[in-house]
Amino acid sequence: MAVVSMKSFGGIAPKIPPRYLKDSQAQTALNCPVFAGSIQPILDMGASLLTLEKTGPIKTIYRYGQDNISDVQHWFHWDADVNVCRSQIAGDTSEWTFFSGDGPPKATHSGIALTGTNYPANSRPLGLPAPTSAASIVVAGAVDETETVEIRVYTYTLVNKEAGRTIESAPAAASTSVSVRTSQTVTVSTFASLPGAGYISTHRRIYRSTAGVFLLVAEIPVATATYSDDVDAADLAEEIPSMLWSEPPAALQGLINLPNGMMAGFVGRDLYFCEPYRPHAWPENYIQTVDYPIVGLGRMDTTLAVLTTGNPYFVQGSHPSNMAVVKSDLEQACVAKESIVSIGGGVIYAAPDGLMLLSPGGSKIITDQYFAFKQWQAYFKPETIHAYQQDNQYIAFFDNGTTQGGFIYDITSRQFILHDIYATAGFQDLQRDKLFLTFADKSLKVWQEGAPKSYIWRSKMLTMPQYMSFACAQLEAEAYPMTMKFYADGTLIHTQVVQSRRPFRLPAKRGRDWEFQVEGSNEVFSIAMANSMSELANA
């Protein structure tokens, strides 16, 4: 006498031999989230919202205009792996937005981003280069030997005032020093040519040295070729703020927003930070260097996770000048930048051995109990994984050279399933609480907004103590029909199209190793097999 009753269902664990799986675990779980215990169908993609315009496979999407409630306006998109950050500038009404990965790092805003097609239609370089030469200084006026002599040195910066934001460059080289008496004036001229390559400069700021610091003399339009300085020392304005600033390096990647108005990015093994609330300024004295080339960045609350080709690193601090870098003792490289997802107070990324979770509560390979090294590599080719988070789930896509598909790891239930949807890029919109995806045909759709997909869930291998047969079975589902398949010793012995919750008969076949498989698109609550109808009634 034997009864098999299953009222809770789980995900896959290929690492474990089928007969040693837990009762609820599956050999196959395709398109069926089991995260609440029942077998549910994943929903297909929603209807296409629009078709993106750029040529080539789309690898990054970002919804601009996030103060507006819209699914269709306005979609930035690129054929490259791009990181996008919205500004943390106080009083920003132009939605300044910064991005890296599409050539040198860039900035855009509402006045230029949407003036055309293929958004962002226009952008600026993120920073502003220092002037390339010192200004010329000429002292004018009669010499009065009774007046005090002041030794002056001048410098100047470039300024761009655009869309409510002021960007200032590092200063030019200092001028020659001059002796100036109180009644004399100084003409400042022969400024360096303005930079090209998309840079915008609207003004120059002129500074002069006093007591070892440069103080602001005046701000002039860039069209003004000369300036006569007759400002008294007592009337000079603030100290130059940009003495140690640099524009971001052209190769900067991986932009990410951090608390306190900071952004971070990287080049090679070097980790860069911007001046707080000044995303155009990246002082070289803030650079931190790690042992291994950096692959990408993630965020855990106030901690920056730095993922490399070797150990991960943790970086924490309230200001770029006091950042502390701690090397993890975990030797788990990041093999795919696009696999990095900040989720649930931690960071998940694809490592050679599986999915790696970094968190304040402890770091580990969270798929270690499901996949051996060779299985993980063969199933997913982890360097191809790109992933997003939605509803506390890590939603991933892969291309192993034979199969394009995806998987879901649920943070709460710690279950792992496969799905057969393949997208080329995605964006989690927090305001809409939706995950938007784009595909090879450049259509833009919403995750889990379509009709239920057909799924397959196959049980563990149920090994009996002796050869036996089951006489009947029952399937409890939300709706019907559903299809069930029964296997004895690896051979399919019966296929049943289940039309209701009523029990049905099984053929008189004997075996020791039994398995069953359910297929369909309706939620399933329980499955049972027994030797008799009376046993089934009590299952």
Side-chain angles (χ1 to χ4, degrees):
M1 310 291 283
V3 176
V4 172
S5 178
M6 199 167 291
K7 297 180 179 179
S8 180
F9 304 89
I12 60 172
K15 181 178 181 178
I16 302 172
R19 68 177 68 243
Y20 295 134
L21 290 169
K22 295 178 181 178
D23 287 347
S24 62
Q25 287 182 310
Q27 295 184 69
T28 302
L30 177 67
N31 292 338
C32 52
V34 289
F35 312 134
S38 61
I39 306 176
Q40 300 180 35
I42 196 173
L43 301 183
D44 208 345
M45 301 305 303
S48 178
L49 301 172
L50 53 86
T51 300
L52 300 173
E53 299 172 298
K54 289 182 179 174
T55 59
I58 304 302
K59 295 185 178 180
T60 305
I61 57 175
Y62 174 86
R63 191 175 76 82
Y64 185 77
Q66 293 191 23
D67 293 337
N68 302 317
I69 298 176
S70 173
D71 287 350
V72 297
Q73 296 178 336
H74 302 276
W75 284 98
F76 288 5
H77 56 289
W78 295 269
D79 60 359
D81 174 22
V82 173
N83 292 94
V84 188
C85 294
R86 184 171 179 174
S87 84
Q88 301 181 73
I89 302 168
D92 176 16
T93 59
S94 298
E95 197 170 348
W96 277 93
T97 300
F98 316 113
F99 55 96
S100 65
D102 181 32
K106 298 179 177 67
T108 192
H109 59 82
S110 58
I112 61 174
L114 309 178
T115 56
T117 58
N118 292 344
Y119 300 148
N122 294 286
S123 62
R124 306 271 187 258
L126 177 54
L128 192 57
T132 56
S133 62
S136 295
I137 308 299
V138 177
V139 180
V143 175
D144 185 342
E145 299 292 348
T146 65
E147 293 181 332
T148 302
V149 176
E150 179 184 1
I151 304 301
R152 294 183 188 175
V153 175
Y154 284 80
T155 189
Y156 65 101
T157 63
L158 295 175
V159 174
N160 179 26
K161 293 188 174 184
E162 181 180 5
R165 177 172 169 237
T166 298
I167 303 166
E168 186 170 7
S169 75
S175 70
T176 57
S177 62
V178 291
S179 298
V180 183
R181 296 186 182 271
T182 306
S183 61
Q184 291 181 305
T185 61
V186 176
T187 300
V188 185
S189 64
T190 319
F191 300 111
S193 300
L194 298 178
Y199 291 103
I200 302 295
S201 303
T202 59
H203 295 78
R204 292 185 180 93
R205 286 180 178 168
I206 299 173
Y207 296 87
R208 83 181 192 218
S209 63
T210 298
V213 297
F214 283 103
L215 300 181
L216 178 64
V217 179
E219 180 179 276
I220 60 174
V222 292
T224 302
T226 62
Y227 175 77
S228 294
D229 174 19
D230 59 359
V231 179
D232 289 338
D235 294 330
L236 296 175
E238 71 270 11
E239 182 179 349
I240 185 172
S242 61
M243 181 62 71
L244 299 178
W245 294 357
S246 299
E247 65 170 330
L252 190 73
Q253 301 181 60
L255 283 184
I256 188 170
N257 272 339
L258 299 174
N260 300 326
M262 295 183 289
M263 282 199 308
F266 66 91
V267 178
R269 295 189 299 121
D270 296 332
L271 181 64
Y272 286 74
F273 297 92
C274 77
E275 189 71 24
Y277 303 103
R278 290 180 169 90
H280 61 283
W282 296 74
E284 292 184 2
N285 57 317
Y286 293 161
I287 297 173
Q288 300 272 7
T289 301
V290 297
D291 295 346
Y292 301 96
I294 300 171
V295 177
L297 307 175
R299 186 176 53 250
M300 304 186 303
D301 298 324
T302 59
T303 300
L304 176 66
V306 180
L307 295 321
T308 76
T309 60
N311 299 62
Y313 295 77
F314 304 101
V315 183
Q316 193 167 36
S318 59
H319 189 276
S321 62
N322 60 22
M323 287 293 187
V325 179
V326 178
K327 181 179 179 179
S328 171
D329 59 357
L330 295 163
E331 296 179 343
Q332 288 295 330
C334 178
V335 298
K337 176 175 175 288
E338 294 170 277
S339 73
I340 301 170
V341 174
S342 301
I343 179 172
V347 172
I348 295 177
Y349 66 91
D353 293 337
L355 282 185
M356 183 71 196
L357 169 66
L358 303 178
S359 75
S363 301
K364 60 183 179 180
I365 295 287
I366 52 178
T367 54
D368 184 56
Q369 59 185 313
Y370 306 130
F371 295 93
F373 172 81
K374 289 184 178 180
Q375 292 172 323
W376 172 254
Q377 291 286 330
Y379 268 64
F380 304 115
K381 198 175 183 182
E383 61 269 25
T384 72
I385 292 174
H386 60 100
Y388 315 90
Q389 80 109 342
Q390 179 71 9
D391 297 331
N392 221 27
Q393 294 170 357
Y394 182 90
I395 300 168
F397 305 88
F398 67 90
D399 180 354
N400 64 19
T402 302
T403 302
Q404 290 183 328
F407 62 83
I408 303 173
Y409 178 78
D410 183 74
I411 299 296
T412 304
S413 68
R414 300 179 182 177
Q415 299 287 348
F416 191 106
I417 70 157
L418 302 174
H419 64 78
D420 61 8
I421 297 170
Y422 183 74
T424 64
F427 173 73
Q428 187 205 21
D429 191 326
L430 295 176
Q431 185 197 56
R432 307 294 290 130
D433 192 23
K434 295 179 179 181
L435 174 60
F436 293 87
L437 298 171
T438 189
F439 299 84
D441 64 357
K442 300 182 178 59
S443 61
L444 183 75
K445 302 178 181 179
V446 179
W447 174 257
Q448 290 281 73
E449 284 208 348
K453 286 178 68 67
S454 180
Y455 63 76
I456 299 174
W457 190 93
R458 184 164 179 161
S459 72
K460 65 172 288 184
M461 183 181 291
L462 304 158
T463 300
M464 302 298 131
Q466 59 188 13
Y467 282 92
M468 61 169 294
S469 64
F470 288 93
C472 51
Q474 185 178 29
L475 181 146
E476 292 273 356
E478 180 69 28
Y480 301 89
M482 297 291 293
T483 298
M484 285 203 70
K485 294 179 179 179
F486 296 86
Y487 299 82
D489 296 334
T491 301
L492 176 65
I493 63 166
H494 182 64
T495 299
Q496 179 79 26
V497 178
V498 184
Q499 300 288 356
S500 71
R501 65 175 59 184
R502 296 183 62 182
F504 53 88
R505 293 287 182 181
L506 296 177
K509 299 288 186 179
R510 292 170 60 84
R512 282 200 64 189
D513 296 326
W514 287 81
E515 304 158 72
F516 59 82
Q517 181 168 296
V518 59
E519 302 173 4
S521 57
N522 299 308
E523 186 174 7
V524 170
F525 305 109
S526 67
I527 298 172
M529 298 189 301
N531 289 122
S532 67
M533 290 294 185
S534 59
E535 288 179 343
L536 197 62
N538 295 319

